[in-house]
Amino acid sequence: LRGGGDILSFSKSAGLGVHAHASEASAAPSGGCDAQEEAPARRVRWLRRRGAAGSAGSSEEAPPSCPRRVAVVTTAALPWLTGTSVNAALRAAHLCRRPECEEVQLVVPWLAPADQAIVMRQRFDTPQQQEAHIRAWLRKQVDFDESRLRVRFYAGRYVHHYHSVLGVGDVTRSVDSAAELVVLEEPEHLNWFHHGRAWLDAFPRVVGVIHTNYVEYANREPDGAAKAFGLHHYNRLMAYAYCDGVVRLSGAVQDFPRQRTCNINGVSDRYLRLGRARGAQPLPDGAYIIAKMQWGKAYTELLDLVGRDRSFNIDVYGSGDDAEAIVTRAEREGLPMRFFGARAGQGRYDHTDAAMRDYRVFVNPSLSDVVCTATAEALAMGKFVVVPEHPSNEFFSGFANCLTYRSADEFKARMSQALR
């Protein structure tokens, strides 16, 4: 699980010239990446569009093995502690550790104060203030050459209907044109309403990382089957039009053109350090969950499971658009659950917060995740995690402290095993 921001592992055979990189020895179980389709070699076409390609012989020249200037573009920014903000920032920091990389851009959305209040604990009056926070957070997570990192912003808005941040204007203009490789964290999301330059016209190589199972979210809405069908094909179109290839973090998400399936995310060293510092000392009793309070983010499954067996308590840390409805149902049914931050709007928590360090069990019954960052962090700290047997948890199932279940009865048994 170490090295959460390491560069994605596309091989030379994909035509992108991007190599896997592990900054330190990995603690992950053995396993490889599933290659489905190879990406086309678009670099020469891009050079010709830019007028930089010379003779016909240049078309045979292989792209460089490692880009010197990389841009990581994502759909969320710290201090919002969500997977696309945390993993994108760590990826940029780890790229700064590579001697070949002269410059790394981290390109994130800038939100108006009213939107900041929805997703962040802190508020910022200027992008410079938020950049200072991002850099300070990264310094606590990983050692890296900070002089190589540039933080850039594009205009964004939080849209309640999508529970997401969407870009305003042409996001490609916020990326320095010198970038040789652009990594789009959530390329489908970034381009749903894109109306600017085509990414493949603007940059020589573009790779997408698929974080979120949007089709599953759509399927849970009214008329979900029709929405999911349309979104499935629209997402494929976005990836095909704007990426040389994509990396799916797990098989839990839909298929894409020119895809690889590989978990290229991980966790910060500080979670591992806390786990090592505790050693064999057992954690006190207690189970908890950290998740944004949306029905699609594990809460439908969680309340159903807790309602079947009320022999244990679960503490909930999170906030979100569905917080009031979730708390109301739990109280109406008398479920043994306590909610922290749900009504106060301060639910952006971290496992290392003092209130959560000593819990023994992290529960995540979500069937909509791709690879859950919070689950990885809890595993790294030595906690038990109780999760469903599902493609999104396949990577985690190789760890001894990961307990999987296939039914409500097995969930009860795994909880009893972890809490005893």
Coordinates of all heavy atoms in Angstrom, one line a residue, residues 379-410:
L379 N -6.6 -0.1 6.5 CA -5.8 -1.3 6.4 C -4.3 -1.0 6.8 O -3.7 -1.7 7.5 CB -5.8 -1.9 5.0 CG -7.0 -2.8 4.6 CD1 -7.0 -3.1 3.2 CD2 -7.0 -4.1 5.5
A380 N -3.8 0.1 6.2 CA -2.4 0.5 6.5 C -2.2 0.8 8.0 O -1.1 0.6 8.5 CB -2.0 1.7 5.6
M381 N -3.2 1.2 8.7 CA -3.0 1.5 10.1 C -3.2 0.3 11.0 O -3.1 0.4 12.2 CB -4.1 2.6 10.5 CG -3.8 3.9 9.9 SD -5.1 5.1 10.4 CE -4.7 5.4 12.2
G382 N -3.5 -0.9 10.4 CA -3.6 -2.1 11.1 C -5.0 -2.4 11.6 O -5.1 -3.3 12.4
K383 N -5.9 -1.6 11.2 CA -7.3 -1.8 11.7 C -7.9 -3.0 10.9 O -7.5 -3.3 9.8 CB -8.2 -0.6 11.5 CG -7.7 0.7 12.2 CD -8.5 1.9 11.8 CE -8.0 3.2 12.4 NZ -8.5 3.3 13.8
F384 N -8.9 -3.7 11.5 CA -9.7 -4.6 10.7 C -10.6 -3.7 9.8 O -11.1 -2.7 10.2 CB -10.6 -5.4 11.6 CG -9.9 -6.6 12.2 CD1 -9.6 -6.5 13.6 CD2 -9.5 -7.7 11.5 CE1 -8.9 -7.5 14.2 CE2 -8.8 -8.7 12.1 CZ -8.5 -8.6 13.5
V385 N -10.8 -4.2 8.5 CA -11.8 -3.6 7.7 C -12.8 -4.7 7.3 O -12.4 -5.8 7.0 CB -11.2 -2.9 6.4 CG1 -10.2 -1.8 6.8 CG2 -10.6 -4.0 5.5
V386 N -14.1 -4.4 7.4 CA -15.2 -5.3 7.0 C -15.8 -4.8 5.7 O -16.4 -3.7 5.8 CB -16.2 -5.5 8.1 CG1 -17.3 -6.4 7.7 CG2 -15.5 -6.0 9.4
V387 N -15.7 -5.5 4.6 CA -16.2 -5.0 3.3 C -16.8 -6.2 2.6 O -16.5 -7.3 2.8 CB -15.0 -4.5 2.5 CG1 -14.4 -3.2 3.1 CG2 -13.9 -5.5 2.3
P388 N -17.7 -5.9 1.6 CA -18.3 -7.0 0.9 C -17.4 -7.6 -0.1 O -16.4 -6.9 -0.5 CB -19.5 -6.2 0.1 CG -19.0 -4.8 0.1 CD -18.3 -4.6 1.3
E389 N -17.6 -8.8 -0.5 CA -16.9 -9.5 -1.5 C -17.3 -8.9 -2.8 O -18.4 -9.2 -3.3 CB -17.1 -11.0 -1.5 CG -16.2 -11.8 -2.4 CD -16.3 -13.3 -2.2 OE1 -16.0 -13.7 -1.0 OE2 -16.7 -14.0 -3.1
H390 N -16.5 -8.1 -3.4 CA -16.9 -7.2 -4.6 C -15.6 -6.9 -5.3 O -14.5 -6.8 -4.8 CB -17.6 -6.0 -4.0 CG -18.2 -5.1 -5.1 ND1 -17.5 -3.9 -5.5 CD2 -19.3 -5.2 -5.7 CE1 -18.3 -3.4 -6.4 NE2 -19.4 -4.1 -6.6
P391 N -15.7 -6.7 -6.7 CA -14.5 -6.3 -7.4 C -13.7 -5.1 -6.9 O -12.5 -5.0 -7.0 CB -15.1 -6.0 -8.8 CG -16.3 -6.9 -8.9 CD -16.9 -6.9 -7.6
S392 N -14.4 -4.2 -6.3 CA -13.7 -3.0 -5.7 C -12.8 -3.3 -4.6 O -11.9 -2.5 -4.2 CB -14.8 -1.9 -5.3 OG -15.6 -2.4 -4.3
N393 N -13.1 -4.5 -3.9 CA -12.3 -4.9 -2.8 C -11.3 -6.0 -3.0 O -10.7 -6.5 -2.1 CB -13.2 -5.2 -1.6 CG -14.1 -4.1 -1.1 OD1 -13.6 -3.0 -1.0 ND2 -15.4 -4.3 -1.0
E394 N -11.2 -6.4 -4.3 CA -10.4 -7.5 -4.7 C -8.9 -7.3 -4.3 O -8.2 -8.2 -3.7 CB -10.5 -7.8 -6.2 CG -9.7 -9.0 -6.6 CD -9.9 -9.3 -8.1 OE1 -10.7 -8.6 -8.7 OE2 -9.2 -10.2 -8.6
F395 N -8.4 -6.1 -4.5 CA -7.1 -5.7 -4.1 C -6.8 -5.9 -2.6 O -5.8 -6.4 -2.1 CB -6.7 -4.3 -4.5 CG -5.4 -3.8 -4.1 CD1 -4.2 -4.2 -4.8 CD2 -5.2 -3.0 -3.0 CE1 -3.0 -3.8 -4.5 CE2 -4.0 -2.6 -2.6 CZ -2.8 -2.9 -3.3
F396 N -7.8 -5.4 -1.8 CA -7.7 -5.5 -0.3 C -7.8 -6.9 0.2 O -7.3 -7.1 1.3 CB -8.8 -4.6 0.3 CG -8.8 -3.2 -0.2 CD1 -10.0 -2.6 -0.6 CD2 -7.6 -2.4 -0.3 CE1 -10.0 -1.2 -1.0 CE2 -7.6 -1.1 -0.7 CZ -8.8 -0.5 -1.1
S397 N -8.5 -7.8 -0.4 CA -8.8 -9.1 0.1 C -7.5 -9.9 0.4 O -7.6 -10.9 1.2 CB -9.7 -9.9 -0.8 OG -9.1 -10.1 -2.0
G398 N -6.4 -9.5 -0.1 CA -5.1 -10.3 0.1 C -4.5 -9.9 1.4 O -3.5 -10.6 1.8
F399 N -5.0 -9.0 2.2 CA -4.5 -8.6 3.5 C -5.2 -9.3 4.6 O -6.4 -9.5 4.6 CB -4.6 -7.1 3.7 CG -3.8 -6.3 2.8 CD1 -4.3 -5.9 1.6 CD2 -2.4 -6.0 3.1 CE1 -3.5 -5.1 0.7 CE2 -1.7 -5.2 2.2 CZ -2.2 -4.8 1.0
A400 N -4.4 -9.8 5.6 CA -5.0 -10.6 6.7 C -6.1 -9.8 7.5 O -7.0 -10.4 8.1 CB -3.9 -11.0 7.7
N401 N -5.9 -8.5 7.6 CA -6.9 -7.7 8.4 C -8.1 -7.2 7.6 O -8.9 -6.4 8.0 CB -6.2 -6.5 9.1 CG -5.4 -5.7 8.1 OD1 -4.9 -6.1 7.2 ND2 -5.4 -4.4 8.4
C402 N -8.3 -7.8 6.4 CA -9.5 -7.5 5.5 C -10.4 -8.7 5.6 O -10.1 -9.8 5.3 CB -9.1 -7.2 4.1 SG -10.5 -6.9 3.0
L403 N -11.6 -8.4 6.2 CA -12.6 -9.4 6.3 C -13.8 -9.2 5.4 O -14.4 -8.1 5.4 CB -13.1 -9.4 7.8 CG -12.0 -9.5 8.9 CD1 -12.7 -9.5 10.3 CD2 -11.2 -10.8 8.7
T404 N -14.0 -10.1 4.5 CA -15.0 -9.9 3.5 C -16.3 -10.8 3.8 O -16.2 -11.8 4.4 CB -14.5 -10.3 2.1 OG1 -14.1 -11.6 2.0 CG2 -13.3 -9.4 1.7
Y405 N -17.4 -10.3 3.3 CA -18.7 -11.0 3.5 C -19.5 -11.1 2.2 O -19.3 -10.2 1.3 CB -19.5 -10.4 4.6 CG -19.9 -9.0 4.4 CD1 -21.1 -8.7 3.7 CD2 -19.1 -7.9 4.7 CE1 -21.5 -7.4 3.4 CE2 -19.5 -6.6 4.5 CZ -20.7 -6.4 3.8 OH -21.1 -5.1 3.5
R406 N -20.4 -12.1 2.1 CA -21.2 -12.2 1.0 C -22.7 -12.1 1.3 O -23.6 -12.1 0.4 CB -21.0 -13.5 0.3 CG -19.6 -13.6 -0.4 CD -19.3 -15.0 -0.9 NE -19.1 -15.9 0.3 CZ -18.8 -17.2 0.2 NH1 -18.7 -17.8 -1.0 NH2 -18.7 -17.9 1.2
S407 N -23.1 -12.0 2.6 CA -24.5 -12.0 3.0 C -24.6 -11.2 4.3 O -23.5 -11.0 5.0 CB -25.0 -13.4 3.1 OG -24.4 -14.1 4.2
A408 N -25.8 -10.9 4.7 CA -26.0 -10.3 6.0 C -25.5 -11.1 7.2 O -25.0 -10.6 8.2 CB -27.5 -9.9 6.2
D409 N -25.7 -12.4 7.1 CA -25.2 -13.3 8.1 C -23.7 -13.3 8.2 O -23.2 -13.3 9.3 CB -25.7 -14.8 7.9 CG -27.3 -14.9 8.1 OD1 -27.8 -14.1 8.8 OD2 -27.9 -15.8 7.6
E410 N -23.1 -13.3 7.1 CA -21.6 -13.3 7.1 C -21.1 -11.9 7.6 O -20.1 -11.9 8.3 CB -21.0 -13.5 5.7 CG -21.1 -15.0 5.3 CD -20.3 -15.3 4.0 OE1 -19.6 -14.3 3.5 OE2 -20.3 -16.4 3.5

